Amino acid sequence: MQSETIELSNGKLSKNMIKKYKDDGFLFPINIFNYKEALNLRTDLEKIEQKYSKIKLPKPLNDYKRGPANAVIPLVADIAKDNRILDIVECIIGSNILVWAAEFFIKEKKTDNIVGMHQDLTYWGMGETSGQVTAWLALSDSNKNSGCMEFVKGSHKNKILPHNETYSKKSLLSRGQEVQVRIPNNKKISAELLPGQMSIHHGLMIHGSGPNISNDRRIGVAIRYINPDVVQNTKRSYAMPVRGIDKKGNFTHYFAPETLFSEFNLKLHEEICENQHKVTSTTKN
Ligand SMILES: O=C(O)CCC(=O)C(=O)O
């Protein structure tokens, strides 16, 4: 059964809902796009997938759908800049907002890809900041059958916990990372979403997702928002400003691409990825 939709007032979260996010570490389902808009976004993505199954890019298409996809795919940057999402994000991290990365998390129908239970901030070199929040937007049904995200209520109140790097082929995460504590199934809350709905979660939230046993793809866009106070421990960090101003200058700014996979943006994507790989994880296992 779907959870009750989060009520918005003028597109913003109420004080009670902000408190709930602070207490629980997540909120869902939040209505963002209507069904038709979500379907159009999915169709646009699938047209790109079809076109670039025949056209060669420097790296496989899947690599560009992950990491900072917003640096090379205008569709992703447009989603990340959408005011309806930013109005929610502003309630959590304030009115000056940057996108650190926006990426697709896709599970093909009837596949056993999973995401092990983990905390995002473990590998991002941003410490234990509350100035980061992820908005996860569904472009298809995301439910228990299709492998929706699962959250552990209140787990963001932990520090960064030790993780194992399993490098499992089934994992959608680059190193198959998994928190070392075993999470009983009855502690996992399924974030079921309809197309166009969104969840938000704190960077320290323990979360993951199971396989897709449904007959459809499970398509999500995860957008990593930060405020300008966030500092990343790399030589050079990149982010796309989307609202307000950045007086801190902790991130090199880049802007939404005008065209799909332009030479300039492909190079930028490579540069951002290279620098992100240099991040030292915050905890040692
Ligand atoms: O899409 C999923 O199943 C997991 C996504 C995730 O781990 C995240 O957005 O932080």
Side-chain angles (χ1 to χ4, degrees), residues 98-230:
L98 305 140
V99 172
W100 178 66
E103 58 184 331
F104 288 106
F105 270 87
I106 300 176
K107 291 180 187 162
E108 299 302 338
K109 64 179 180 183
K110 298 214 178 288
T111 51
D112 56 4
N113 286 124
I114 53 115
V115 174
M117 299 304 278
H118 69 284
Q119 294 168 300
D120 292 333
L121 285 174
T122 311
Y123 291 86
W124 294 353
M126 297 176 186
E128 288 164 340
T129 180
S130 287
Q132 189 277 322
V133 65
T134 290
W136 196 102
L137 177 80
L139 296 187
S140 67
D141 279 315
S142 187
N143 51 39
K144 287 181 194 159
N145 270 350
S146 63
C148 65
M149 267 205 292
E150 297 169 321
F151 297 124
V152 182
K153 196 169 171 171
S155 59
H156 64 303
K157 291 179 182 155
N158 287 291
K159 298 262 173 218
I160 291 180
L161 300 167
H163 283 60
N164 288 327
E165 295 177 358
T166 68
Y167 289 95
S168 160
K169 286 213 171 74
K170 285 187 188 168
S171 176
L172 291 183
L173 302 181
S174 55
R175 304 176 226 190
Q177 47 267 44
E178 269 180 20
V179 71
Q180 281 176 10
V181 278
R182 205 187 72 77
I183 313 288
N185 281 341
N186 65 3
K187 290 272 180 246
K188 298 178 185 172
I189 295 174
S190 297
E192 295 198 301
L193 300 173
L194 295 169
Q197 290 186 327
M198 175 179 97
S199 61
I200 54 173
H201 68 263
H202 190 283
L204 291 173
M205 167 56 43
I206 298 179
H207 64 290
S209 63
N212 179 1
I213 59 168
S214 80
N215 278 319
D216 192 16
R217 316 175 79 191
R218 193 222 64 171
I219 307 173
V221 187
I223 313 155
R224 321 306 185 169
Y225 292 102
I226 52 173
N227 67 30
D229 293 330
V230 172

Side-chain angles (χ1 to χ4, degrees), residues 213-279:
I213 59 168
S214 80
N215 278 319
D216 192 16
R217 316 175 79 191
R218 193 222 64 171
I219 307 173
V221 187
I223 313 155
R224 321 306 185 169
Y225 292 102
I226 52 173
N227 67 30
D229 293 330
V230 172
V231 179
Q232 201 186 14
N233 70 357
T234 40
K235 243 189 181 165
R236 198 152 185 206
S237 309
Y238 296 78
M240 182 179 95
V242 285
R243 182 172 279 187
I245 43 170
D246 173 2
K247 287 191 180 160
K248 296 290 168 98
N250 295 331
F251 291 81
T252 301
H253 293 176
Y254 64 91
F255 298 94
E258 280 172 16
T259 54
L260 188 60
F261 300 131
S262 73
E263 204 175 310
F264 172 83
N265 289 97
L266 286 170
K267 276 197 192 123
L268 174 68
H269 186 275
E270 183 59 34
E271 196 176 304
I272 299 171
C273 290
E274 262 175 32
N275 279 279
Q276 283 184 0
H277 288 148
K278 289 182 194 148
V279 171

